[in-house]
Structure formats: structure tokens, C-alpha cells
Amino acid sequence: CAAHAPRDPAIELRLAATRRWLDEVVIGQKLCPFATRVRAAPFLRLTASVAVDADGVVTEVAQEASLLAEGLRQGSGRASEDWPETTLLVLDGQQPFVAKWQDL
């Protein structure tokens, strides 16, 4: 199971930094009124991208969107580990294609 697989320390650092950003900036500065409620699992799915190019990111975004859409189709009205309410796909800022997006 992927949840029990050893994690890459660089990925763990990226996810931890994203959690801090979410807590300190998005929630702490009240930028999103919905963020506090969906801050933790099962409501929030926080996933580190492993894409090495823009096409890979598009594929990962499509997978995350499909997961959210399937949760809506299930209609349970309750988040679960299988069907989160929100997903954040955390890109690796060291990838050259990501750095280009920061200039947009």
C-alpha cells in the first residue's frame, strides 16, 4: 500500500512546507473561509507531484480531478480517505518547467 511505503525525505519536506503555508498564510491570514474546515484528512488530500515535465503535471491534475469528481458522484456527502473534498497537488519548485510557471 502506498500509504505504508517509505517516503522520500525531500517529498516529506515539501509537504511539510505546504502544510505550514496552509496554516500560516491561507488559514492564518483568513485568505480562504473554507480552508480551516478541510485542513486535515480525510477532507484534504495533500499529494506531492512526481512529474518531471508539464505533461506529467497535467496527468496528475487530471487524476486528482477524477478523484474529486468520483467523490461527488458517490454522493455520500461525507469525505473519506477515498473521496476527499479538496486536493492540493504540490509541485517540485526545483523542476525547470515549474520555475517557468512562476514567471506568469
Side-chain angles (χ1 to χ4, degrees), residues 14-89:
R14 193 171 3 137
L15 293 175
T18 301
R19 285 185 198 97
R20 276 192 310 279
W21 167 80
L22 186 61
D23 290 338
E24 294 172 9
V25 177
V26 176
I27 293 172
Q29 295 182 21
K30 298 181 172 115
L31 298 178
C32 176
F34 310 106
T36 301
R37 191 179 82 69
V38 298
R39 163 59 178 89
F43 302 104
L44 175 65
R45 177 177 158 90
L46 189 60
T47 305
S49 171
V50 294
V52 296
D53 58 25
D55 289 338
V57 172
V58 169
T59 298
E60 290 176 338
V61 168
Q63 291 168 342
E64 293 300 312
S66 291
L67 179 69
L68 293 171
E70 185 60 30
L72 290 172
R73 281 192 289 278
Q74 293 296 323
S76 68
R78 294 174 30 201
S80 72
E81 197 167 294
D82 293 328
W83 315 116
E85 291 183 10
T86 301
T87 185
L88 292 177
L89 182 62

